[in-house]
Amino acid sequence: MSSVNSLSVEDLGSAAQRDRRKRILDATIVLASKGGFDAVQMRAVAEQADVALGTLYRYFPSKIHLLVSALGREFERAELTLRDKPIPGDDAADRVIFVLKKTTRGMQGDPHLTEALTRAFMFADSSVQSEIHTVGMLMTTMLTRAMHPGQLELTDDDVAIAKVLGDVWLSALVGWVTGRSTADEVAQQIEVAVRLLLR
């Protein structure tokens, strides 16, 4: 039987492997949408995805790995919807605010799923470093593209600003998930941070 880290890039590249991984993430999102973080149990995911429990653990060694990977896929979808369309706004701040508010509204539309994904991201430790990196890169890509549409060369400052804004956005989302902030307050926090950093 394969060990947890035995899946090579070639394995992940095969059609059967990609299909299995997609079914697992689909099942995770369905369960999280119904009942939040607590509803995502490894056995329930395996049953929903029609894979053996051992197979699930080969792909995703823990529930946190699973949910952070699902967050990455949700970000991929958000990034794809924004990629080929001009982002509205007169300047970099307007465009970044548009992207962050659109992403936030999308997540707030499915509160159970957002609670599950946000909690997993908060609980993630160094064992989930690769998945966390993927999420961070997707967020940075979305924000830097909004800051400088069509520009391929980005400065270190651009990337640093995007990372800080991503952290502020996540913090605001945590406030909403835990009931400390309203949706309007989240939008306001995001706007203030963007305007301060992108003057």
Side-chain angles (χ1 to χ4, degrees):
M1 185 172 207
S2 301
S3 68
V4 161
N5 295 317
S6 66
L7 286 176
S8 68
V9 173
E10 289 118 29
D11 288 334
L12 288 172
S14 80
Q17 295 278 358
R18 285 196 306 272
D19 177 65
R20 202 170 291 130
R21 189 174 194 277
K22 179 184 181 301
R23 290 203 323 268
I24 290 168
L25 291 175
D26 286 346
T28 302
I29 288 168
V30 166
L31 289 167
S33 291
K34 286 180 182 171
F37 186 84
D38 293 334
V40 180
Q41 301 299 323
M42 297 300 266
R43 189 170 297 283
V45 171
E47 287 172 6
Q48 177 95 15
D50 194 25
V51 299
L53 190 57
T55 300
L56 173 58
Y57 276 107
R58 272 177 42 221
Y59 281 84
F60 303 101
S62 72
K63 173 174 167 171
I64 300 297
H65 280 85
L66 187 56
L67 283 165
V68 174
S69 296
L71 176 61
R73 196 174 78 173
E74 292 299 288
F75 271 25
E76 280 172 19
R77 287 177 174 171
E79 196 264 336
L80 268 174
T81 63
L82 291 164
R83 184 182 299 170
D84 300 321
K85 297 176 188 166
I87 298 169
D90 294 331
D91 56 23
D94 286 345
R95 291 188 297 271
V96 168
I97 288 166
F98 174 84
V99 167
L100 287 173
K101 284 186 174 179
K102 183 176 174 62
T103 305
T104 304
R105 280 194 304 272
M107 295 191 78
Q108 287 171 332
D110 194 337
H112 286 309
L113 177 62
T114 300
E115 180 260 346
L117 300 180
T118 306
R119 277 179 66 183
F121 198 82
M122 287 171 7
F123 295 154
D125 59 20
S126 59
S127 72
V128 197
Q129 190 171 354
S130 171
E131 291 82 356
I132 293 287
H133 178 72
T134 298
V135 169
M137 289 302 295
L138 285 163
M139 175 60 86
T140 299
T141 298
M142 283 195 290
L143 296 183
T144 52
R145 188 178 289 131
M147 287 159 61
H148 306 290
Q151 185 175 316
L152 298 177
E153 291 294 319
L154 297 169
T155 67
D156 289 343
D157 280 354
D158 292 331
V159 174
I161 288 168
K163 285 181 177 175
V164 170
L165 289 173
D167 287 346
V168 170
W169 176 79
L170 180 65
S171 173
L173 199 61
V174 167
W176 179 75
V177 163
T178 55
R180 297 195 305 266
S181 305
T182 66
D184 286 344
E185 286 167 340
V186 168
Q188 181 64 24
Q189 284 175 304
I190 290 167
E191 184 149 356
V192 167
V194 172
R195 300 259 177 233
L196 285 171
L197 283 166
L198 291 175
R199 285 177 169 171

